[in-house]
Amino acid sequence: MLTRREWMRQAAGVTAVAAMPGLLGSKGHAKTPSSDDQAISGAGSLKAHAAARGLLTGCAVNANLLREDEGFRKLLAEQYNIVVPENCMKWNILRPTADTYNFTDADSLVAFAETHGMKVRGHNFVWHEALPGWFATAVNKGNAQKFLVDHIRTVGGRYTGKMHSWDVVNEAIWIPDGRPDGMRTSSPWFQMLGPGYIDLAFRTARAADPTALLTYNDYSIEYDNDEEGKKRTAVLALLRRMKADKVPLDALGIQSHIHSVSKDGFSRGVSELIEGAKALGLQVFVTELDVNDDAIDTDDMAERDKIVAEVYRNYLTAALNGTEVKAVLTWGASDKNTWLNHGTKFRKQHPDRTQRPLPFDPEYAPAPAFFAMRECFDNAKKR
Ligand code: XIL
């Protein structure tokens, strides 16, 4: 079985070389490891290749790694021009009690981004998950509106003028809940405020931060199958209804938690989302891309990485086909930290195997997916 580094050498010698002149010596042989490293930074970085096409590229940032891991900070600064907090702008982190805020980690991330000239996406104002323990007892039908508005005013207001975009509402559609419009009735926000919580959140967000692009973000809307097709249709109908009602809405976030093995494709799904958003004058962001590799049979790491990279290539080829998608962010940068390895929820078929869903391996070496991303940026039209 090949090690990751051996595989990288081989890949650089066969497939990736054409797109990476910097990796070749004058006779076409792969250079030493130190110049390999050189070739993925600076002009070879994800952000340089993305920027050449007017694209933003980034990743979700884990606050602990940002605080404690210098290698991680270096990787972020080297590779990305936009970041999104993995967790530290969610209610359960920002709101230790009903009447206090803790901005420590969120402020650190925004400051880090400012220092390195990166943009920041906010994630998120309203979600049915990541609510603090006190929420269920303190928030009720009588005061939910005040909690929602105060939260968005306080958090949105704090970072006004510093944010590229905000995921204002996350995952509001859930078909199994059975409503004709697809709204997630099991969300506490829906239960306390009814469907109007969505418009309220967007209007409050616009007032709190007039310059951030206000985004609706959702998942399992990408694949060409009935289930995701229904959800996709409901999401697009929601966005159309919001636009008709003059709700301030600027972008659709396609989370893009995709799978290495699937009987369904995603070309039609992705293009329906993009065309639907385009018809409404919305920008589109790929907000949380990763490739779940649990269903890959082989344990050969190099083989798995290759399959994952191929899925990246196919997906980004579809997503970057037109010019609507303006930003591509992965959910994490390195396999050292991916939510897919928390517990075994996403490792049902191979519980003893850690997943490798991201463009950098646990040692921060570029994985084949890194080269697939760069190649897709190179192939994209200029935005
Ligand atoms: C995940 C984080 O990665 C985990 O660390 C956390 O425990 C749960 O949330 N969709 C989203 C993200 O919008 O906020 C989720 O992030 C992943 C799925």
Side-chain angles (χ1 to χ4, degrees):
M1 188 163 73
L2 290 176
T3 66
R4 164 64 71 92
R5 283 192 183 274
E6 282 160 359
W7 189 89
M8 286 288 304
R9 297 272 132 67
Q10 284 195 10
V14 250
T15 47
V17 164
M20 293 188 294
L23 270 184
L24 289 178
S26 55
K27 293 196 179 93
H29 299 301
K31 283 188 190 170
T32 58
S34 62
S35 47
D36 283 6
D37 294 345
Q38 191 59 35
I40 66 139
S41 64
S45 64
L46 289 175
K47 70 176 171 187
H49 284 248
R53 297 293 184 267
L55 277 164
L56 294 168
T57 191
C59 68
V61 173
N62 180 276
N64 297 336
L65 280 184
L66 184 70
R67 199 183 311 110
E68 290 157 13
D69 187 333
E70 200 190 331
F72 181 65
R73 291 194 292 272
K74 190 169 160 269
L75 186 75
L76 293 179
E78 176 185 275
Q79 295 297 332
Y80 299 113
N81 51 21
I82 188 165
V83 283
V84 59
E86 182 178 9
N87 290 309
C88 74
M89 288 190 188
K90 293 173 183 169
W91 278 67
N92 58 350
I93 307 292
L94 285 178
R95 307 292 303 270
T97 67
D99 43 22
T100 57
Y101 287 81
N102 180 352
F103 289 110
T104 312
D105 288 340
D107 283 357
S108 298
L109 178 61
V110 173
F112 178 85
E114 270 182 339
T115 304
H116 297 283
M118 306 159 116
K119 295 185 188 296
V120 187
R121 304 198 71 243
H123 176 84
N124 53 56
F125 285 142
V126 185
W127 193 24
H128 61 284
E129 284 188 34
L131 293 165
W134 54 261
F135 189 90
T137 41
V139 186
N140 53 53
K141 280 189 176 157
N143 63 17
Q145 175 157 342
K146 185 171 163 36
F147 266 99
L148 182 129
V149 168
D150 284 352
H151 181 86
I152 296 176
R153 280 189 188 148
T154 306
V155 181
R158 185 177 185 90
Y159 301 114
T160 302
K162 298 184 174 193
M163 305 300 276
H164 162 268
S165 49
W166 264 105
D167 288 334
V168 178
V169 173
N170 200 32
E171 305 179 355
I173 298 293
W174 186 241
I175 303 297
D177 280 355
R179 266 178 67 108
D181 62 4
M183 293 279 294
R184 187 188 291 268
T185 58
S186 44
S187 162
W189 294 112
F190 183 94
Q191 286 172 2
M192 290 185 292
L193 296 172
Y197 82 87
I198 296 189
D199 296 7
L200 175 67
F202 276 85
R203 293 189 202 283
T204 309
R206 180 69 99 222
D209 183 347
T211 57
L213 296 167
L214 305 185
T215 308
Y216 175 79
N217 195 46
D218 217 327
Y219 72 105
S220 289
I221 50 178
E222 301 87 1
Y223 279 99
D224 305 341
N225 61 42
D226 276 2
E227 199 185 328
E228 300 213 357
K230 280 194 189 115
K231 190 168 180 186
R232 180 159 64 242
T233 302
V235 165
L236 289 172
L238 168 67
L239 305 186
R240 204 172 307 119
R241 201 276 305 152
M242 288 169 72
K243 276 307 217 187
D245 290 345
K246 306 256 178 308
V247 177
L249 167 72
D250 306 303
L252 165 64
I254 310 175
Q255 288 190 9
S256 313
H257 295 292
I258 55 177
H259 300 270
S260 53
V261 179
S262 167
K263 60 180 181 10
D264 306 306
F266 36 57
S267 305
R268 184 168 53 83
V270 169
S271 108
E272 279 176 14
L273 288 170
I274 293 174
E275 290 306 316
K278 183 180 176 182
L280 298 173
L282 303 176
Q283 296 194 21
V284 184
F285 310 132
V286 168
T287 51
E288 307 187 11
L289 179 60
D290 55 15
V291 176
N292 181 324
D293 75 8
D294 191 41
I296 298 179
D297 280 337
T298 177
D299 285 335
D300 184 313
M301 211 179 261
E303 197 48 41
R304 279 166 59 201
D305 288 355
K306 213 162 109 183
I307 295 168
V308 166
E310 200 51 31
V311 178
Y312 266 85
R313 187 172 290 110
N314 292 338
Y315 190 77
L316 288 178
T317 300
L320 297 175
N321 183 28
T323 57
E324 282 68 38
V325 171
K326 312 290 184 194
V328 173
L329 294 94
T330 52
W331 203 244
S334 137
D335 303 328
K336 179 174 183 175
N337 172 61
T338 160
W339 70 309
L340 298 177
N341 284 335
H342 297 172
T344 50
K345 184 177 171 203
F346 298 106
R347 295 188 290 144
K348 292 232 159 64
Q349 294 176 63
H350 294 94
D352 301 328
R353 196 171 85 183
T354 51
Q355 293 219 32
R356 301 170 68 84
L358 290 166
F360 292 91
D361 79 4
E363 283 79 46
Y364 301 145
F370 165 93
F371 296 102
M373 286 180 77
R374 268 196 346 187
E375 207 177 293
C376 290
F377 296 157
D378 291 347
N379 292 336
K381 290 191 199 79
K382 180 108 176 79
R383 268 75 184 145

